[in-house]
């Protein structure tokens, strides 16, 4: 990365280049019984950094809102003032970064389809505000479906799935 930034500086285009740093997954270290990545949709496996650097148009700002990497493409188009195709799922993050306009995502969805021979076949996580619904099919003892308030329980230790059935059911509508 250092070499890339140095080269952009040498060319005099660093401040006119959109630089995006992210990852496709995080790492699990037995927080929920698994190691590495690609086993669960708990926060330790899916919460990744997203840094968008473009000083020509964006001031440094930290955004707390849960967003999705699917929104990167329409964000780039929006920054460049290009039309976003209607048939894509992402929405621009620019309103969150500039406080202009509104972020048009009602919820964020993350999905995982297990590998052959793995005990977990499908997991879906729905994020809405502070809440996260985790639906697992088929459920197992080690990874049950869950409902978590990430503001009060960021490590997802207190499963509220059966405590708030109305909240669970309202989030379930977005699973399919």
């Amino acid at each position: 990365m250092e070499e890339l930034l140095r080269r952009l500086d040498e060319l005099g285009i660093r401040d006119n280049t959109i630089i995006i740093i992210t990852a496709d997954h995080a790492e699990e270290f037995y927080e929920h019984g698994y190691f590495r990545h690609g086993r669960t949709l708990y926060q330790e496996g899916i919460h990744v950094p997203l840094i968008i650097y473009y000083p020509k148009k964006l001031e440094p700002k930290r955004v707390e809102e849960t967003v999705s990497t699917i929104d990167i493409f329409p964000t780039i188009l929006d920054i460049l003032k290009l039309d976003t195709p209607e048939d894509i799922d992402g929405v621009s993050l620019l309103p969150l970064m500039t406080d202009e306009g509104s972020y048009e995502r009602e919820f964020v969805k993350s999905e995982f389809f297990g590998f052959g021979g793995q005990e977990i076949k499908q997991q879906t996580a729905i994020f809405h505000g502070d809440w996260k619904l985790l639906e697992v099919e088929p459920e197992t003892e080690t990874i049950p479906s869950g409902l978590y308030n990430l503001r009060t329980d960021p490590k997802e230790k207190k499963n509220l799935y059966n405590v708030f059935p109305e909240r669970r059911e309202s989030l379930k509508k977005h699973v399919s």
Side-chain angles (χ1 to χ4, degrees):
M1 183 61 152
E2 183 179 338
E3 186 176 330
L4 171 65
L5 295 176
R6 185 174 48 250
R7 184 70 176 134
L8 291 173
D9 285 338
E10 288 170 5
L11 294 170
I13 60 172
R14 180 175 176 172
D15 289 345
N16 196 30
T17 301
I18 300 171
I19 299 172
I20 299 174
I21 301 168
T22 192
D24 64 337
H25 60 79
E27 292 295 327
E28 299 174 64
F29 295 104
Y30 291 111
E31 295 91 342
H32 286 92
Y34 291 91
F35 181 69
R36 296 182 39 207
H37 63 270
R39 300 290 184 255
T40 74
L41 292 180
Y42 288 113
Q43 291 301 92
E44 62 266 14
I46 64 172
H47 187 227
V48 298
L50 174 58
I51 300 168
I52 301 176
Y53 173 86
Y54 190 45
K56 181 177 179 180
K57 293 193 178 184
L58 299 173
E59 294 290 323
K61 179 179 181 183
R62 182 182 187 112
V63 174
E64 297 294 330
E65 183 103 14
T66 299
V67 300
S68 176
T69 55
I70 201 169
D71 297 330
I72 293 172
F73 176 60
T75 301
I76 294 168
L77 294 177
D78 197 12
I79 290 170
L80 298 175
K81 298 189 184 315
L82 298 172
D83 291 333
T84 302
E86 291 181 20
D87 60 344
I88 65 168
D89 291 328
V91 297
S92 176
L93 300 171
L94 195 56
L96 291 173
M97 297 184 287
T98 62
D99 295 325
E100 297 174 13
S102 62
Y103 178 55
E104 298 177 13
R105 184 168 296 290
E106 179 183 353
F107 64 91
V108 172
K109 184 177 186 177
S110 185
E111 296 177 295
F112 171 72
F113 301 94
F115 305 109
Q118 204 174 335
E119 70 176 299
I120 302 303
K121 299 299 181 202
Q122 180 177 347
Q123 298 174 53
T124 304
I126 302 294
F127 297 84
H128 184 265
D130 293 333
W131 291 92
K132 175 183 178 181
L133 173 69
L134 177 61
E135 284 291 319
V136 180
E137 183 63 39
E139 286 189 66
T140 68
E141 188 176 314
T142 56
I143 307 177
S145 293
L147 178 67
Y148 304 94
N149 184 313
L150 297 177
R151 182 179 47 78
T152 61
D153 181 22
K155 302 240 185 249
E156 297 165 292
K157 298 297 182 185
K158 187 172 182 181
N159 189 341
L160 303 172
Y161 196 82
N162 293 318
V163 177
F164 294 105
E166 300 84 18
R167 170 86 54 189
R168 178 188 71 221
E169 293 306 313
S170 74
L171 292 173
K172 262 187 170 181
K173 294 176 186 173
H174 303 292
V175 169
S176 60

